[in-house]
Amino acid sequence: MSARQKEKKKRGKIILFIVEIFVLLIMAAVLYAVLKVEKVGKVELNEEKLVINEEVKERAETTKMKGYRNIALFGVDSTTGALAKNTRSDTIMIASINLDTGECKLVSVYRDTYLNLSNDTYNKCNAAYMKGGPEMAINMLNMNLDMNITDFITVGFAGLADTIDALGGVMIDVDEAEINHLNSYQFTMAEDLKRPYKEVTSTGYQQLTGLQATAYCRYTAGDDFKRTERQREVLMAMADKAKTASVSTLNQIANDVFNEIYTSLDITEIVELLGNVKDYNIVDQAGF
């Protein structure tokens, strides 16, 4: 074999190697995209697998349940962005919206409530999301509470913090007993999320950052009764802040944080709901 032929053969091997690397990179990118879609963004729920009692369906068309839309809100114990399943939904809320008046009610379901997970096994209700994702968690709520939920929104620590920051923070009344707990949880999350944090140093009604407000939601002093109360307080503060933002700002926020949530709603539906945010009022809230 001549030197030219050897050089040509060598060059061919190099080109083949580069092509193989390029193909591997494309495969890796596709795999990453698939995994990311499984964790965040929109998911199509199979409505045939959603458990809704026939009597509840009838009541939703003929009684005081008519004209309401119920959406499940899940907050999962995740700093890694894993939102689809295999993580407990330590925050479980139902937002019930009167479509005629815009009046909204928030109900927290305490995470340690012992319920049928929708498969005739009983456990703490926050285990449903870990075992079967949003579909099982919705079925658990529908089966045990006679609900007709078909939509959900799930968020992790980073998504909640970033949404609050995008709104410019929220106003919360912090008391002396809450400061140490708040800062302790904030420090832990800052390490996990690899982002800076600022300690809360004084009491009173003040603006909290996304990380501070998320820490305020998380800490467990007062057990789940007080913890869920703080979660609803932050959610209501977010709603108040959203009402003062322009439609264009809200649209931008929705697009920016959509890849940090997991939901049955598509981005156009979320933007449409946000466009009418001034028409909605939270008139009642409680825990179950």
Side-chain angles (χ1 to χ4, degrees):
M1 185 181 294
S2 67
R4 178 178 291 183
Q5 288 175 322
K6 288 181 180 179
E7 182 64 27
K8 186 176 180 181
K9 185 176 181 181
K10 182 180 179 181
R11 195 162 52 242
K13 287 181 178 180
I14 292 172
I15 293 171
L16 181 60
F17 177 73
I18 291 172
V19 169
E20 288 175 345
I21 292 295
F22 186 67
V23 170
L24 286 172
L25 287 172
I26 292 175
M27 290 174 65
V30 170
L31 178 61
Y32 173 77
V34 170
L35 291 174
K36 189 173 183 183
V37 168
E38 288 179 350
K39 294 178 183 178
V40 298
K42 178 176 168 56
V43 60
E44 294 286 351
L45 292 176
N46 186 343
E47 291 195 11
E48 292 183 359
K49 292 185 177 180
L50 294 181
V51 175
I52 302 176
N53 185 287
E54 288 300 323
E55 187 178 337
V56 171
K57 289 181 181 179
E58 183 179 343
R59 290 208 308 268
E61 295 297 326
T62 59
T63 68
K64 289 182 179 180
M65 286 183 70
K66 186 176 181 180
Y68 282 84
R69 184 178 188 183
N70 300 305
I71 301 176
L73 310 177
F74 301 114
V76 294
D77 191 356
S78 172
T79 57
T80 62
L83 305 180
K85 61 187 300 188
N86 299 322
T87 180
R88 288 180 180 265
S89 54
D90 280 350
T91 298
I92 304 171
M93 283 193 210
I94 301 169
S96 186
I97 305 166
N98 186 319
L99 299 176
D100 295 324
T101 66
E103 292 184 340
C104 307
K105 298 179 181 180
L106 295 177
V107 178
S108 299
V109 179
Y110 302 130
R111 62 182 178 180
D112 288 342
T113 310
Y114 195 68
L115 296 175
N116 186 332
L117 298 188
S118 78
N119 59 358
D120 290 331
T121 65
Y122 287 78
N123 206 323
K124 294 179 180 181
C125 64
N126 66 345
Y129 200 102
M130 181 183 69
K131 293 176 180 294
E135 185 178 282
M136 181 178 280
I138 289 172
N139 284 340
M140 176 270 297
L141 293 172
N142 285 346
M143 179 179 287
N144 290 278
L145 305 180
D146 285 339
M147 299 297 295
N148 61 343
I149 300 167
T150 57
D151 287 305
F152 79 98
I153 301 172
T154 298
V155 67
F157 301 147
L160 179 60
D162 289 343
T163 303
I164 293 170
D165 281 336
L167 285 168
V170 289
M171 298 299 295
I172 299 291
D173 191 5
V174 181
D175 65 37
E176 186 67 40
E178 294 171 330
I179 290 179
N180 287 338
H181 295 290
L182 191 163
N183 286 330
S184 177
Y185 273 85
Q186 188 185 186
F187 172 76
T188 302
M189 284 194 299
E191 283 194 328
D192 289 339
L193 296 172
K194 295 178 174 53
R195 58 178 67 184
Y197 76 101
K198 181 181 179 182
E199 286 192 350
V200 175
T201 58
S202 60
T203 61
Y205 192 61
Q206 59 191 289
Q207 183 166 287
L208 299 186
T209 67
L211 204 62
Q212 290 168 345
T214 303
Y216 182 79
C217 288
R218 284 196 65 201
Y219 79 84
T220 56
D223 297 322
D224 218 28
F225 305 105
K226 294 297 292 183
R227 191 182 72 99
T228 55
E229 189 177 296
R230 287 188 288 270
Q231 292 168 357
R232 296 192 300 275
E233 181 184 357
V234 168
L235 193 59
M236 290 186 290
M238 292 172 69
D240 288 340
K241 199 63 179 288
K243 288 183 179 184
T244 66
S246 66
V247 173
S248 60
T249 298
L250 292 174
N251 288 351
Q252 186 61 52
I253 291 171
N255 282 286
D256 288 347
V257 303
F258 191 68
N259 65 347
E260 294 186 274
I261 66 173
Y262 191 54
T263 180
S264 58
L265 307 176
D266 59 41
I267 187 64
T268 55
E269 190 170 8
I270 291 173
V271 167
E272 183 181 342
L273 288 169
L274 287 174
N276 300 318
V277 69
K278 291 180 176 62
D279 298 330
Y280 296 106
N281 291 294
I282 299 173
V283 297
D284 197 10
Q285 52 94 14
F288 172 83

